[in-house]
């Protein structure tokens, strides 16, 4: 497991290091307004990725982890999941084309199509397969090579503020290349193979991941949607400020992800063997939450002063936003332990889904209200309140079910 955590940290480092290398360059070359426009478009692209990923990153990972000794079943899970994601991609692509035919190709729609390569890449990049089999080498190889392609493309193609389309295309190129490399790696190592499946299998997989899909969509209401809300109500410049701060926060919070990804199959296996909530909390949960607290403290003590130098003078406000965001990794780590590690694994996905739906609606209302009174910090404060409420509810549910 330690090897898997290390490999996932390497992946996470490449996922955030390469964008962080290009971030100050893009901020300076594009300028605050165009950088904000790019951030808004990338938010819409991320919504498409959420739609295509559905709930498979959890539901398919669980199926793979539980059936890793049955090769025929692994082949079927891989085939059904990949076909399901490709069908979802085609559906969303059709919606985008119809929208452009009805309403025309404005700047946002044109830029959106520039980023569709990233969405296609997610179809062919089965992170759920590598996680379920606990074979992380495939993720390392695919993502590292792909990020290098993306990094080089950004510096070669983006030269001035008019190159927003090239900036989005260059960044989406990484995900597309990683998907292709992953497919080649899987075939070369004969990990799984495509097999026959029916539409009933596809529909069953979509049904199995539906609750998690709804959870992912509703989570995006207080994560991905924030940039769009700010851009719509306050303008792209403020969206650029928020996006710059949030990218650094996400990079720091990303330190939690490799541990979460490596431990999720392990916790799932322990629960299936009879471990109760207190066992999971004692064995992994408390340590993970303490790690989240450490990340939050690091953002406040180290991240804020570093960001003052990292951002240009034009983005000085972004450093203040980052400081306000600093408690989020700790709050999120609590939600992961009590929500993903216990409620989801124990098939209480409907409870998780309903919580996300209710609180995400509350967040949207708070964000719109707060942004009128505090354009710089309103949405950030709303996010802090939202994440805190969700984590507290998950804690309450877990202890109530454990009685």
């Amino acid at each position: 497991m330690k090897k898997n955590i290390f490999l996932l940290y390497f992946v996470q480092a490449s996922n955030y290091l390469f964008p962080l290398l290009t971030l100050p360059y893009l901020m300076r070359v594009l300028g605050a307004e165009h950088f904000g426009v790019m951030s808004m478009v990338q938010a819409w692209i991320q919504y498409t990725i959420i739609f295509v990923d559905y709930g498979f990153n959890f539901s398919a990972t669980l199926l793979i982890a539980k059936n890793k000794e049955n090769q025929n079943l692994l082949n079927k899970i891989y085939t059904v999941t990949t076909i399901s994601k490709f069908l979802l991609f085609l559906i969303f692509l059709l919606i985008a084309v119809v929208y452009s035919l009805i309403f025309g190709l404005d700047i946002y729609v044109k830029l959106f199509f520039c980023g569709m390569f990233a969405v296609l890449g997610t179809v062919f990049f089965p992170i759920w397969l590598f996680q379920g089999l606990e074979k992380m080498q495939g993720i390392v190889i695919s993502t590292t090579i792909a990020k290098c392609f993306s990094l080089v493309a950004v510096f070669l193609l983006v030269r001035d503020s008019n190159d927003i389309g090239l900036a989005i295309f260059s960044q989406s190129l990484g995900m597309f290349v990683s998907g292709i490399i992953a497919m080649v790696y899987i075939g070369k190592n004969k990990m799984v193979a495509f097999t026959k499946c029916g539409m009933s299998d596809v529909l069953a997989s979509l049904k199995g991941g539906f609750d998690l899909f709804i959870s992912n969509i509703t989570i995006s209401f207080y994560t991905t949607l924030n940039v769009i809300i700010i851009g719509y109500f306050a303008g792209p410049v403020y969206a650029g400020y928020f996006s710059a701060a949030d990218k650094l926060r996400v990079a720091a919070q990303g330190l939690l992800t490799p541990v979460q990804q490596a431990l999720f199959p392990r916790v799932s296996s322990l629960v299936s063997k009879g471990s109760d909530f207190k066992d999971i909390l004692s064995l992994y949960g408390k340590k993970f939450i303490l790690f989240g607290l450490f990340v939050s403290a690091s953002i406040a003590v180290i991240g804020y002063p570093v960001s003052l130098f990292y951002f240009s003078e034009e983005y000085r406000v972004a450093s203040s936003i980052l400081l306000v965001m600093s408690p989020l990794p700790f709050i999120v780590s609590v939600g992961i332990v009590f929500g993903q590690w216990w409620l989801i694994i124990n098939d209480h996905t409907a409870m998780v889904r309903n919580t996300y739906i209710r609180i995400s609606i509350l967040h949207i209302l708070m964000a719109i209200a707060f942004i009128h009174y505090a354009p710089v910090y309103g949405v950030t404060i709303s996010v802090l309140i939202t994440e805190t409420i969700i984590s507290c509810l998950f804690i309450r549910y877990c202890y109530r079910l454990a009685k």
Side-chain angles (χ1 to χ4, degrees):
M1 185 179 67
K2 290 182 179 180
K3 179 182 178 183
N4 288 334
I5 293 177
F6 172 77
L7 290 174
L8 284 170
Y9 262 119
F10 187 86
V11 172
Q12 201 68 11
S14 67
N15 284 342
Y16 292 115
L17 178 60
F18 288 120
L20 288 178
L21 290 174
T22 59
L23 180 60
Y25 177 77
L26 291 173
M27 291 167 65
R28 287 166 172 78
V29 171
L30 297 179
E33 183 174 358
H34 284 185
F35 180 80
V37 170
M38 183 190 75
S39 300
M40 293 170 65
V41 173
Q42 287 179 324
W44 282 116
I45 293 170
Q46 187 58 42
Y47 262 108
T48 312
I49 291 174
I50 292 170
F51 181 81
V52 170
D53 276 342
Y54 203 63
F56 297 127
N57 284 349
F58 282 112
S59 61
T61 299
L62 284 173
L63 288 173
I64 295 292
K66 293 177 180 179
N67 300 282
K68 61 176 64 177
E69 304 300 328
N70 188 331
Q71 187 61 48
N72 290 331
L73 196 50
L74 287 178
N75 291 341
K76 186 172 183 179
I77 295 169
Y78 174 71
T79 302
V80 170
T81 304
T82 303
I83 290 176
S84 298
K85 293 183 70 172
F86 187 67
L87 289 175
L88 291 172
F89 169 77
L90 292 179
I91 291 171
F92 208 98
L93 181 61
L94 178 62
I95 293 172
V97 171
V98 171
Y99 177 89
S100 65
L101 291 174
I102 296 174
F103 297 100
L105 285 170
D106 61 19
I107 181 63
Y108 289 97
V109 175
K110 290 178 181 178
L111 293 174
F112 176 80
F113 281 111
C114 290
M116 286 297 285
F117 285 98
V119 185
L120 186 58
T122 64
V123 173
F124 301 117
F125 185 65
I127 188 171
W128 40 270
L129 175 68
F130 295 121
Q131 289 176 3
L133 294 176
E134 298 188 65
K135 294 182 178 179
M136 310 305 179
Q137 295 93 331
I139 302 178
V140 172
I141 294 172
S142 303
T143 58
T144 303
I145 296 175
K147 294 299 179 183
C148 289
F149 270 94
S150 181
L151 181 69
V152 172
V154 167
F155 287 115
L156 286 180
L157 299 179
V158 182
R159 294 296 184 181
D160 57 49
S161 60
N162 295 317
D163 293 333
I164 309 177
L166 291 173
I168 293 174
F169 169 75
S170 299
Q171 293 174 87
S172 68
L173 185 64
M175 182 59 72
F176 179 74
V177 172
S178 67
I180 301 301
I181 295 174
M183 294 284 286
V184 173
Y185 180 88
I186 290 168
K188 184 177 180 180
N189 290 277
K190 299 180 180 179
M191 295 172 60
V192 287
F194 284 106
T195 187
K196 291 183 179 179
C197 69
M199 184 55 66
S200 59
D201 296 314
V202 173
L203 294 176
S205 72
L206 293 172
K207 182 180 179 181
F210 179 75
D211 284 339
L212 293 171
F213 168 64
I214 296 299
S215 296
N216 289 338
I217 286 292
T218 51
I219 288 172
S220 73
F221 289 163
Y222 58 88
T223 53
T224 307
L225 187 62
N226 291 327
V227 174
I228 298 172
I229 291 175
I230 295 172
Y232 182 80
F233 288 100
V237 173
Y238 283 103
Y241 293 152
F242 180 89
S243 177
D246 199 48
K247 286 180 186 298
L248 283 188
R249 190 271 306 175
V250 169
Q253 188 173 305
L255 294 171
L256 302 176
T257 304
V259 182
Q260 145 66 7
Q261 290 176 336
L263 289 179
F264 186 75
R266 183 64 55 90
V267 172
S268 176
S269 178
L270 289 173
V271 172
S272 66
K273 293 176 182 178
S275 295
D276 60 18
F277 177 66
K278 290 183 179 179
D279 294 332
I280 300 302
L281 189 60
S282 175
L283 191 59
Y284 297 121
K286 292 180 180 178
K287 297 174 183 176
F288 186 75
I289 292 172
L290 284 173
F291 184 46
L293 179 61
F294 170 77
V295 174
S296 286
S298 298
I299 293 176
V301 176
I302 301 174
Y304 171 70
V306 168
S307 70
L308 293 173
F309 295 97
Y310 181 76
F311 297 141
S312 65
E313 188 67 30
E314 188 179 9
Y315 296 85
R316 186 69 61 175
V317 175
S319 296
S320 299
I321 296 175
L322 178 64
L323 183 61
V324 178
M325 290 178 171
S326 61
L328 282 173
F330 167 67
I331 300 170
V332 169
S333 68
V334 175
I336 289 173
V337 170
F338 288 88
Q340 296 177 12
W341 287 9
W342 189 253
L343 293 177
I344 289 178
I345 287 178
N346 283 279
D347 296 323
H348 295 296
T349 53
M351 183 181 292
V352 174
R353 176 199 64 201
N354 292 335
T355 300
Y356 283 136
I357 290 174
R358 293 195 303 269
I359 306 304
S360 63
I361 293 173
L362 174 64
H363 165 72
I364 294 174
L365 297 175
M366 286 192 300
I368 294 174
F370 290 175
I371 200 170
H372 287 292
Y373 296 100
V376 176
Y377 304 108
V379 172
T380 304
I381 294 171
S382 180
V383 172
L384 287 168
I385 295 172
T386 301
E387 291 281 12
T388 301
I389 294 174
I390 288 172
S391 293
C392 289
L393 287 174
F394 285 165
I395 292 171
R396 178 189 173 192
Y397 296 153
C398 286
Y399 280 108
R400 188 174 67 186
L401 292 168
K403 291 182 179 179

Coordinates of all heavy atoms in Angstrom, one line a residue, residues 130-166:
F130 N -7.1 1.1 -12.5 CA -5.8 1.1 -11.8 C -6.0 1.1 -10.3 O -5.3 0.4 -9.6 CB -4.9 2.2 -12.3 CG -4.6 2.2 -13.8 CD1 -4.9 3.2 -14.6 CD2 -3.9 1.1 -14.3 CE1 -4.6 3.2 -16.0 CE2 -3.5 1.1 -15.6 CZ -3.9 2.1 -16.5
Q131 N -6.9 1.9 -9.8 CA -7.1 2.0 -8.4 C -7.7 0.7 -7.8 O -7.3 0.2 -6.8 CB -8.1 3.2 -8.1 CG -7.5 4.5 -8.3 CD -8.5 5.7 -8.1 OE1 -9.6 5.4 -7.7 NE2 -8.0 6.9 -8.3
G132 N -8.7 0.2 -8.5 CA -9.3 -1.1 -8.1 C -8.3 -2.2 -8.0 O -8.4 -3.1 -7.1
L133 N -7.4 -2.3 -9.0 CA -6.4 -3.4 -9.0 C -5.2 -3.0 -8.2 O -4.3 -3.9 -8.0 CB -6.0 -3.6 -10.5 CG -7.0 -4.2 -11.4 CD1 -6.5 -4.3 -12.8 CD2 -7.5 -5.6 -11.0
E134 N -5.2 -1.8 -7.7 CA -4.0 -1.3 -6.9 C -2.7 -1.4 -7.7 O -1.7 -1.8 -7.2 CB -3.9 -2.0 -5.5 CG -5.2 -1.8 -4.6 CD -5.0 -2.4 -3.3 OE1 -4.1 -1.8 -2.5 OE2 -5.7 -3.3 -2.9
K135 N -2.8 -1.1 -9.0 CA -1.7 -1.1 -9.9 C -1.5 0.4 -10.4 O -2.1 0.7 -11.4 CB -1.8 -2.1 -11.0 CG -1.9 -3.5 -10.5 CD -2.0 -4.5 -11.7 CE -1.9 -5.9 -11.2 NZ -2.1 -6.9 -12.3
M136 N -0.8 1.2 -9.7 CA -0.7 2.6 -10.0 C 0.3 3.0 -11.0 O 0.4 4.1 -11.4 CB -0.4 3.4 -8.7 CG -1.4 3.0 -7.5 SD -3.1 3.1 -8.0 CE -3.9 2.5 -6.4
Q137 N 1.2 2.0 -11.4 CA 2.2 2.3 -12.4 C 1.6 2.9 -13.7 O 2.2 3.8 -14.3 CB 3.1 1.1 -12.7 CG 3.9 0.6 -11.5 CD 3.1 -0.5 -10.8 OE1 1.9 -0.5 -10.7 NE2 3.9 -1.4 -10.1
G138 N 0.5 2.3 -14.1 CA -0.2 2.8 -15.3 C -0.6 4.2 -15.2 O -0.4 5.0 -16.2
I139 N -1.0 4.7 -14.1 CA -1.4 6.1 -13.9 C -0.2 7.0 -14.0 O -0.2 8.0 -14.6 CB -2.1 6.3 -12.6 CG1 -3.4 5.4 -12.4 CG2 -2.5 7.7 -12.4 CD1 -4.1 5.5 -11.1
V140 N 0.9 6.5 -13.4 CA 2.1 7.3 -13.3 C 2.7 7.6 -14.7 O 3.0 8.7 -15.1 CB 3.2 6.6 -12.5 CG1 4.5 7.4 -12.6 CG2 2.8 6.6 -11.0
I141 N 2.8 6.5 -15.5 CA 3.3 6.6 -16.9 C 2.4 7.4 -17.7 O 2.9 8.3 -18.4 CB 3.5 5.2 -17.5 CG1 4.5 4.4 -16.7 CG2 3.8 5.2 -18.9 CD1 4.6 2.9 -17.1
S142 N 1.1 7.2 -17.7 CA 0.2 7.9 -18.6 C 0.2 9.4 -18.3 O 0.3 10.2 -19.2 CB -1.2 7.3 -18.5 OG -1.2 5.9 -18.7
T143 N 0.0 9.7 -17.1 CA -0.2 11.2 -16.7 C 1.1 12.0 -16.8 O 1.1 13.1 -17.3 CB -0.7 11.3 -15.3 OG1 0.2 10.7 -14.4 CG2 -2.1 10.7 -15.2
T144 N 2.3 11.4 -16.5 CA 3.5 12.1 -16.5 C 3.9 12.5 -17.9 O 4.2 13.6 -18.2 CB 4.7 11.3 -15.9 OG1 4.3 10.9 -14.5 CG2 5.9 12.1 -15.9
I145 N 3.8 11.5 -18.9 CA 4.1 11.8 -20.3 C 3.2 12.8 -20.8 O 3.6 13.8 -21.5 CB 4.1 10.5 -21.1 CG1 5.2 9.5 -20.6 CG2 4.3 10.8 -22.6 CD1 5.2 8.2 -21.3
A146 N 1.9 12.7 -20.5 CA 0.9 13.5 -21.1 C 1.1 15.0 -20.6 O 0.9 15.9 -21.3 CB -0.5 13.0 -20.7
K147 N 1.4 15.1 -19.3 CA 1.5 16.5 -18.7 C 2.7 17.2 -19.4 O 2.7 18.4 -19.5 CB 1.7 16.4 -17.2 CG 0.5 15.9 -16.5 CD -0.7 16.8 -16.6 CE -1.9 16.3 -15.9 NZ -3.1 17.1 -16.1
C148 N 3.8 16.4 -19.7 CA 4.9 17.0 -20.4 C 4.5 17.6 -21.8 O 4.9 18.7 -22.2 CB 6.0 16.0 -20.6 SG 6.8 15.5 -19.1
F149 N 3.7 16.8 -22.5 CA 3.1 17.3 -23.8 C 2.4 18.6 -23.6 O 2.6 19.6 -24.3 CB 2.2 16.3 -24.4 CG 2.8 15.3 -25.3 CD1 3.3 14.0 -24.8 CD2 3.0 15.6 -26.6 CE1 3.9 13.1 -25.6 CE2 3.6 14.6 -27.5 CZ 4.1 13.4 -27.0
S150 N 1.5 18.6 -22.6 CA 0.7 19.8 -22.3 C 1.6 21.0 -21.9 O 1.3 22.1 -22.4 CB -0.3 19.5 -21.2 OG -1.1 20.6 -20.9
L151 N 2.6 20.8 -21.1 CA 3.4 21.9 -20.6 C 4.2 22.5 -21.8 O 4.2 23.7 -21.9 CB 4.4 21.3 -19.6 CG 5.5 22.3 -19.0 CD1 4.7 23.3 -18.1 CD2 6.6 21.5 -18.3
V152 N 4.7 21.7 -22.7 CA 5.5 22.2 -23.8 C 4.5 23.0 -24.7 O 4.9 24.0 -25.3 CB 6.2 21.0 -24.6 CG1 6.8 21.5 -25.9 CG2 7.2 20.4 -23.7
A153 N 3.3 22.4 -24.9 CA 2.4 23.1 -25.8 C 2.0 24.5 -25.4 O 1.9 25.4 -26.2 CB 1.1 22.2 -26.0
V154 N 1.8 24.6 -24.1 CA 1.4 25.9 -23.5 C 2.5 27.0 -23.8 O 2.2 28.1 -24.3 CB 1.2 25.9 -22.0 CG1 1.1 27.3 -21.4 CG2 -0.1 25.1 -21.7
F155 N 3.7 26.7 -23.5 CA 4.8 27.6 -23.7 C 5.1 27.9 -25.2 O 5.6 29.0 -25.5 CB 6.1 27.2 -23.0 CG 6.0 27.3 -21.5 CD1 6.0 26.2 -20.7 CD2 5.9 28.5 -20.9 CE1 5.9 26.3 -19.3 CE2 5.8 28.6 -19.5 CZ 5.8 27.5 -18.7
L156 N 4.9 26.9 -26.0 CA 5.2 27.1 -27.5 C 4.0 27.9 -28.2 O 4.3 28.7 -29.1 CB 5.4 25.7 -28.1 CG 6.7 25.0 -27.8 CD1 6.7 23.7 -28.6 CD2 7.9 25.9 -28.3
L157 N 2.8 27.6 -27.8 CA 1.7 28.1 -28.6 C 1.1 29.4 -28.0 O 0.5 30.2 -28.8 CB 0.6 27.0 -28.6 CG 0.9 25.7 -29.3 CD1 -0.2 24.7 -29.3 CD2 1.4 25.9 -30.7
V158 N 1.1 29.6 -26.7 CA 0.4 30.8 -26.1 C 1.4 31.9 -26.0 O 2.4 31.9 -25.3 CB -0.1 30.4 -24.7 CG1 -0.9 31.7 -24.1 CG2 -1.1 29.2 -24.8
R159 N 1.2 33.0 -26.8 CA 2.1 34.1 -26.9 C 1.6 35.4 -26.4 O 2.3 36.3 -26.0 CB 2.6 34.2 -28.3 CG 3.4 33.0 -28.8 CD 4.7 32.9 -28.0 NE 5.6 31.8 -28.5 CZ 6.7 31.5 -28.0 NH1 7.1 32.2 -26.9 NH2 7.5 30.5 -28.5
D160 N 0.2 35.6 -26.6 CA -0.4 36.9 -26.1 C -1.8 36.7 -25.7 O -2.3 35.6 -25.7 CB -0.3 38.0 -27.3 CG -1.0 37.5 -28.5 OD1 -2.1 37.0 -28.4 OD2 -0.4 37.6 -29.6
S161 N -2.5 37.8 -25.3 CA -3.8 37.7 -24.7 C -4.9 37.1 -25.7 O -6.0 36.8 -25.2 CB -4.2 39.0 -24.2 OG -4.3 40.0 -25.3
N162 N -4.6 37.1 -27.0 CA -5.5 36.6 -27.9 C -5.5 35.1 -28.1 O -6.3 34.5 -28.8 CB -5.3 37.2 -29.3 CG -5.6 38.7 -29.3 OD1 -6.6 39.2 -28.7 ND2 -4.7 39.5 -29.9
D163 N -4.5 34.4 -27.4 CA -4.3 33.0 -27.6 C -5.1 32.2 -26.5 O -4.6 31.1 -26.1 CB -2.9 32.6 -27.5 CG -2.1 33.2 -28.7 OD1 -2.7 33.4 -29.8 OD2 -0.9 33.5 -28.6
I164 N -6.3 32.6 -26.2 CA -7.1 31.9 -25.2 C -7.4 30.5 -25.7 O -7.3 29.5 -24.9 CB -8.4 32.6 -24.8 CG1 -8.1 34.1 -24.5 CG2 -9.1 31.9 -23.6 CD1 -9.4 34.8 -24.2
G165 N -7.8 30.4 -26.9 CA -8.2 29.1 -27.5 C -7.0 28.1 -27.5 O -7.2 26.9 -27.1
L166 N -5.8 28.6 -27.8 CA -4.6 27.7 -27.8 C -4.3 27.3 -26.4 O -3.8 26.2 -26.1 CB -3.5 28.5 -28.4 CG -3.6 28.7 -29.9 CD1 -2.4 29.6 -30.4 CD2 -3.6 27.3 -30.7

